Amino acid sequence: MTSLEQLQKDFVEMLSQDSTRFETHIAAQSGLAPSQRAEIYQNAYRIRLTKVLEQDHEMLGLYLGDDLFEEMVNGYLATYPSCAPSLREFGDRLPHFLSSHDPFKEHGILQEIALFERLLLRAFDAADSDILQFSQLQNIPQASWPNIQFQLHASVQLLTCQYSAVESWQALKSEQPPPSPEIPTERHWIIAREQDKRTGFYALSRCHYECLKSIQSELPFGFVCETAAHHTESEEQGMMQVMELLQKGTELGWFQSDINLLQA
Amino acid sequence: MSNTPHPYIGFGLGLRTCYFEEILATQPNVDWFEIISENYFVDGGKPWHFLDQIKEQYPIVMHGVSMSIGSTSDINFDYLDNLKKTIDRVQPLWISDHLCFSSLGDFNSHDLLPMPYTEEALNHLAQRLNIVQDYLQRPLILENVSSYLTYQASQMSEWEFLSELHSKTDCRYLLDINNIYVSARNHEFEPETFLDAIPQKAIAQIHLAGHSDFGSHIIDTHDQPICDHVWRLFENFAKTRGPINTMIERDDNFPPFSELMAELDHARAIAPATWSTHDFA
C-alpha cells in the first residue's frame, strides 16, 4: 500500500468508523489540535448526511420526533455508509433499515412512510415522455383493443400500505396529528408527476391498482380487462372500471403516448 | 488533451433550484450560470424542465462535486458516463470539479477531502487527470478546496502544488477565493501569497462565496454573504490580472435572488474596467 493509499484509507476509517489512527497524519499547528481538525471533517460528514435524510424524509422526521430520528440516522449511517456519488440515493435503503432494525421494525408504518417518501422522490425526477392523449384512444380500431399494450409513465409509482402511512404523511404535512396507524384493510396508492411537474398521489381501488400492475407487467389490454373482471362482479363491471381508469389516467398523465399493438 | 483557453464570458451565478422560476420570469442581467453537474444526473422532471429553458437564454458551465479525482480507488467510469451524458445534453462552455478526493472504494464521504501536497499525489493526479480528460474528450478545470488540516506528509505548499500540477499537465484552475481565505485563516498563511503564485494562464474561473467564522477556525459553508476580506482579496487580485470569469456561489441558506444579484453587481463594480468587456467568441 502506498503512503497516499494509506492516508486515504485512514481518513475514510476516521469518518466511517471513528478510528483515531488518521490523527497521526495531521501536522501540529497552532490553534486547533489534530483531533479537533479531524473532528471538523467527522462533523461535516455526519451533518451532511443527516441533512439529506431530514430533507428527503421530512414527515418521517416529524412522525418519529427528534430523539428517535437521531437514533435512526445514527443506526442507518453505521449500517449503510453512503456509497453512491449522488446524495439522492443515500436514503434508498432506509425503508429496509426501518423494517429490520429495533426499535423501528415493531412499527410497520415507519417503513411505509419512508417508502412513500422515497417513491415521491423517484417520481420527482423520473424520465420525461409524451403522455397518452384521448385522440389516440379514439383512433384505436375496435378489433385491436385486446392486443393493445399501454405503458405507464416513468414517474408512476404504485404502493400498497398495511398502515395509514399516506394519511399520516398528509396529516403531518398539514400540521395535523396523524391518525391511528391501524387500518381495516390494505390501501393502494399511485404516485405520479403531474403535467405541471409537481408530484401528485391518489388513492386507488384494489381493481384499479391490479389493472395498473398488469399494465406495469406489460400485459395487453385484454388481460387488463380480465384482471378487472376478477376484481369486480362481472365482465361488464370490469370493463367499466378499466374505462374509468383509462380516462382518469389519461387526464392525469399516467400513461405514455407510446402504445404497442401486440401480434394476436 | 490540449487545454485551449476558456472564453471570457463575464460574471455568473450558481444556478440553484429555488431561483429557477424567478430567473425565467425576470431574465436577470447574469452573463452565465453554473450548474452542479450531479443535480442533473437524473432522467427528467423539474430539474431538466427548468434547465432546458434557462440554457436557451444563458451560457451554462458545469461544476461537479463527486468525481473524486484524487482518490486512490479505480476511476469510476459509471460516474464519467453519467457526466458525459449530461455534458452532451447541456453543452456547457466548460466543466470543472475539485482537486480533492471524496470517495474510496465503496465509501463516499460527500465531502471535498484535501490531498497531501507530495510528489506522489502530484503524479497520481496528473495521471488521473489525463485519463479523465481523454475519456471526456475535454479539459477538466480543478477547484482548490478549503481545508482544516495540514498533512505531516506534505512536501510543499498548496500553491506550489497547484503550480507544479499546472506545469505537468497544463491544467487550469477554478480559484475559489473564499476557499483560499478559509485555508489561509486555518493554516496561518497569507492568501495573497497563494493568489500571486498562480499564473494567469492557469486560471479559468473564480468563485466568490461566504463562510462561517468560529474565531479559532473558519468553516467553508458557502451559506453566508461574501465577507469584506474576500471582497478585498478579489479586488486586489483582479487589479493585477486580465479578465477572469467570476461567479458568486451560494449553496445553502438561500437569500432572495436580489441579494445574489447585488453581490454579482458588486463584483462587477470592483473588477477592473477591462473585465466588463465581454468576448463571447
Side-chain angles (χ1 to χ4, degrees):
Chain A
M1 186 175 279
T2 67
S3 53
L4 184 58
E5 286 169 338
Q6 185 66 55
L7 181 147
Q8 293 190 348
K9 181 173 177 283
D10 291 345
F11 205 142
V12 160
E13 285 180 0
M14 182 266 291
L15 295 177
S16 59
Q17 299 163 28
D18 291 338
S19 159
T20 55
R21 190 168 50 194
F22 176 68
E23 287 173 25
T24 62
H25 293 283
I26 304 174
Q29 289 177 272
S30 60
L32 302 179
S35 60
Q36 290 174 301
R37 292 178 185 275
E39 207 174 285
I40 292 173
Y41 288 96
Q42 281 178 316
N43 290 340
Y45 169 69
R46 190 162 288 276
I47 289 168
R48 184 170 289 110
L49 293 178
T50 301
K51 198 169 174 183
V52 169
L53 293 181
E54 282 171 356
Q55 284 172 346
D56 289 357
H57 295 282
E58 195 182 349
M59 297 309 131
L60 177 67
L62 290 175
Y63 196 94
L64 284 169
D66 290 347
D67 292 346
L68 273 174
F69 190 78
E70 191 182 340
E71 186 178 336
M72 179 196 80
V73 170
N74 291 340
Y76 187 69
L77 264 174
T79 313
Y80 298 118
S82 183
C83 51
S86 170
L87 283 167
R88 178 179 170 274
E89 294 156 43
F90 173 57
D92 278 354
R93 288 183 282 185
L94 189 62
H96 175 71
F97 173 82
L98 290 167
S99 67
S100 55
H101 286 76
D102 284 325
F104 312 104
K105 69 180 185 187
E106 307 305 324
H107 307 278
I109 191 170
L110 300 176
Q111 179 261 346
E112 285 188 355
I113 295 175
L115 180 58
F116 177 63
E117 290 182 319
R118 298 302 319 157
L119 296 181
L120 289 172
L121 291 168
R122 222 175 280 170
F124 174 78
D125 51 22
D128 295 309
S129 61
D130 291 335
I131 58 168
L132 185 68
Q133 303 295 322
F134 284 112
S135 56
Q136 289 179 266
L137 297 177
Q138 287 158 1
N139 291 334
I140 298 171
Q142 195 162 356
S144 301
W145 271 95
N147 297 315
I148 288 290
Q149 189 185 45
F150 291 102
Q151 295 184 68
L152 297 184
H153 190 273
S155 71
V156 167
Q157 314 290 326
L158 299 173
L159 174 68
T160 296
C161 290
Q162 311 296 330
Y163 300 92
S164 64
V166 178
E167 294 86 347
S168 297
W169 188 95
Q170 284 175 299
L172 291 165
K173 188 84 177 164
S174 316
E175 299 180 356
Q176 300 295 315
S180 161
E182 307 300 332
I183 48 177
T185 55
E186 63 183 17
R187 287 184 186 153
H188 307 285
W189 299 91
I190 182 170
I191 300 152
R193 198 163 65 228
E194 303 191 341
Q195 291 182 48
D196 63 1
K197 304 294 176 188
R198 283 186 299 186
T199 306
F201 55 91
Y202 297 86
L204 292 172
S205 67
R206 172 81 190 271
C207 176
H208 283 181
Y209 174 81
E210 294 296 345
C211 289
L212 288 166
K213 290 294 270 188
S214 302
I215 293 170
Q216 196 172 49
S217 304
E218 301 181 352
L219 294 174
F221 189 70
F223 281 89
V224 177
C225 293
E226 278 182 30
T227 303
H230 183 70
H231 290 283
T232 53
E233 289 176 4
S234 65
E235 274 187 24
E236 267 182 19
Q237 280 187 17
M239 182 56 74
M240 281 174 64
Q241 285 296 315
V242 172
M243 297 320 287
E244 187 185 298
L245 175 64
L246 266 186
Q247 180 166 354
K248 188 172 182 183
T250 305
E251 278 171 11
L252 293 171
W254 296 349
F255 304 111
Q256 292 186 35
S257 65
D258 290 340
I259 47 179
N260 303 322
L261 176 59
L262 301 175
Q263 295 301 316
Chain B
M1 173 66 53
S2 148
N3 278 349
T4 51
H6 297 85
Y8 178 64
I9 54 171
F11 294 81
L13 277 183
L15 182 63
R16 303 295 180 258
T17 54
C18 54
Y19 301 125
F20 279 161
E21 286 170 88
E22 186 166 354
I23 290 165
L24 285 172
T26 63
Q27 303 199 341
N29 178 22
V30 177
D31 297 326
W32 49 279
F33 284 103
E34 181 189 85
I35 62 167
I36 302 292
S37 309
E38 291 82 356
N39 289 355
Y40 298 86
F41 285 10
V42 295
D43 294 321
K46 268 191 181 175
W48 281 109
H49 171 74
F50 285 107
L51 180 59
D52 282 341
Q53 295 174 70
I54 291 169
K55 75 186 175 71
E56 290 298 314
Q57 299 171 34
Y58 295 93
I60 302 288
V61 307
M62 283 172 50
H63 184 51
V65 294
S66 301
M67 187 180 288
S68 194
I69 193 161
S71 174
T72 50
S73 296
D74 292 342
I75 289 175
N76 184 343
F77 285 98
D78 287 342
Y79 172 88
L80 292 184
D81 285 339
N82 270 326
L83 185 61
K84 250 178 145 170
K85 206 167 88 177
T86 310
I87 290 168
D88 287 345
R89 184 160 171 185
V90 174
Q91 295 291 311
L93 286 178
W94 64 81
I95 63 165
S96 61
D97 204 295
H98 296 82
L99 200 163
C100 69
F101 78 104
S102 53
S103 59
L104 191 71
D106 286 339
F107 178 81
N108 201 313
S109 71
H110 301 286
D111 201 350
L112 308 169
L113 308 178
M115 298 294 289
Y117 304 127
T118 61
E119 286 294 333
E120 182 191 10
L122 260 181
N123 293 331
H124 178 70
L125 276 165
Q127 188 189 24
R128 304 251 302 188
L129 186 59
N130 283 333
I131 294 169
V132 167
Q133 292 185 142
D134 282 347
Y135 195 76
L136 297 175
Q137 284 296 295
R138 57 165 63 222
L140 175 70
I141 295 166
L142 294 172
E143 178 180 349
N144 59 296
V145 299
S146 298
S147 69
Y148 312 104
L149 57 82
T150 300
Y151 293 112
Q152 297 267 19
S154 285
Q155 299 159 327
M156 60 192 97
S157 65
E158 185 179 357
W159 52 92
E160 288 167 339
F161 187 83
L162 264 60
S163 298
E164 281 291 308
L165 186 63
H166 171 70
S167 300
K168 270 180 185 287
T169 65
D170 201 25
C171 69
R172 288 188 172 80
Y173 296 113
L174 191 178
L175 284 189
D176 188 316
I177 295 184
N178 171 68
N179 292 356
I180 293 172
Y181 179 75
V182 168
S183 295
R185 278 277 304 273
N186 290 335
H187 306 308
E188 299 182 330
F189 64 78
E190 294 300 325
E192 293 84 355
T193 310
F194 188 131
L195 286 164
D196 291 347
I198 310 299
Q200 172 88 23
K201 68 185 178 73
I203 308 171
Q205 187 186 338
I206 286 171
H207 272 172
L208 298 171
H211 55 253
S212 296
D213 193 333
F214 294 91
S216 59
H217 62 286
I218 303 186
I219 302 282
D220 167 25
T221 47
H222 277 48
D223 66 353
Q224 297 295 320
I226 298 161
C227 77
D228 290 344
H229 294 291
V230 170
W231 280 126
R232 271 199 300 278
L233 273 175
F234 169 66
E235 186 173 7
N236 292 333
F237 177 65
K239 275 180 198 160
T240 67
R241 304 292 179 131
I244 302 170
N245 298 297
T246 298
M247 196 198 91
I248 309 297
E249 188 181 41
R250 187 69 168 252
D251 292 332
D252 209 343
N253 188 26
F254 296 105
F257 190 70
S258 57
E259 287 184 27
L260 293 187
M261 284 304 297
E263 288 194 320
L264 190 70
D265 289 340
H266 185 63
R268 283 176 167 135
I270 64 175
T274 50
W275 288 39
S276 63
T277 308
H278 298 180
D279 173 11
F280 290 100

